[in-house]
Amino acid sequence: TQTFSIDISIDNIITGTNGTKIRIPKNSFVDSTGQPILGTIEFQLKEALTKQEMVLGNLTTTFNGKALETGGMIFVDASSNGKSLLIAENKSIQVALPTDSTLNGMSLFSGIQDLSGINWANPIALNKPNVDSSGVSMDIFEKTTNIMYSVDGFDNPKDYPDSVQNEVGRIA
């Protein structure tokens, strides 16, 4: 489990150790009574993106008893003062999983745990994303900061080395 302390009064982008990117717009969470949360919250992320991680996590990929092909699984949780939070009505968080390829016809599933394990339910069809060179969708992460920078020897920002772009993103 990776734990992040984030200020929910501003937009946040979290990058997991395995490359999962999560965009959390400001004021996205409420408590169990629907009251907005202000200040700092704890945000947890568990990534299971490889077959090995899925086996070690005892995770299954079934939908109503049928096998699924998966692009990866994540678990997220947000809390404040030890109490679980909910995503506010009319708010959402965006997630991009790193991938070597994308397939048409993929869907997003919610995991529902029962006595037999996890059943993946409530599929939502996904559109094929615009992906960067590492395979991470960039549609939801564009224009997230007002930082401008240049790299000597490069005329076009699209030609900047990935290492430079990653470091600027990390600092931002």
Side-chain angles (χ1 to χ4, degrees), residues 27-87:
N27 305 321
S28 293
F29 292 99
V30 295
D31 65 18
S32 61
T33 65
Q35 295 301 308
I37 298 298
L38 305 173
T40 302
I41 68 166
E42 298 296 311
F43 190 87
Q44 292 186 340
L45 168 66
K46 292 182 185 180
E47 298 171 286
L49 305 179
T50 67
K51 289 179 178 115
Q52 180 181 1
E53 291 168 334
M54 292 174 207
V55 169
L56 291 173
N58 199 29
L59 298 171
T60 60
T61 56
T62 59
F63 172 59
N64 293 334
K66 297 179 183 174
L68 290 173
E69 182 175 355
T70 182
M73 299 178 223
I74 63 166
F75 170 82
V76 295
D77 187 42
S79 63
S80 177
N81 299 319
K83 296 183 180 177
S84 289
L85 302 176
L86 304 169
I87 296 175

Side-chain angles (χ1 to χ4, degrees), residues 4-138:
F4 304 87
S5 292
I6 60 171
D7 180 353
I8 200 60
S9 67
I10 61 173
D11 291 340
N12 291 272
I13 294 179
I14 293 170
T15 302
T17 56
N18 292 337
T20 299
K21 290 186 180 184
I22 302 174
R23 181 175 186 193
I24 305 170
K26 66 182 178 180
N27 305 321
S28 293
F29 292 99
V30 295
D31 65 18
S32 61
T33 65
Q35 295 301 308
I37 298 298
L38 305 173
T40 302
I41 68 166
E42 298 296 311
F43 190 87
Q44 292 186 340
L45 168 66
K46 292 182 185 180
E47 298 171 286
L49 305 179
T50 67
K51 289 179 178 115
Q52 180 181 1
E53 291 168 334
M54 292 174 207
V55 169
L56 291 173
N58 199 29
L59 298 171
T60 60
T61 56
T62 59
F63 172 59
N64 293 334
K66 297 179 183 174
L68 290 173
E69 182 175 355
T70 182
M73 299 178 223
I74 63 166
F75 170 82
V76 295
D77 187 42
S79 63
S80 177
N81 299 319
K83 296 183 180 177
S84 289
L85 302 176
L86 304 169
I87 296 175
E89 194 170 314
N90 299 320
K91 293 283 187 170
S92 63
I93 62 174
Q94 294 85 34
V95 176
L97 299 178
T99 182
D100 293 331
S101 63
T102 57
L103 301 174
N104 288 325
M106 293 191 85
S107 296
L108 171 69
F109 290 78
S110 299
I112 300 171
Q113 191 162 8
D114 58 25
L115 295 175
S116 64
I118 297 176
N119 187 44
W120 297 95
N122 308 318
I124 300 170
L126 298 175
N127 295 328
K128 191 168 183 174
N130 172 28
V131 296
D132 71 8
S133 61
S134 66
V136 174
S137 171
M138 296 309 296

Side-chain angles (χ1 to χ4, degrees), residues 98 123 147 156:
I147 294 174
N156 186 342

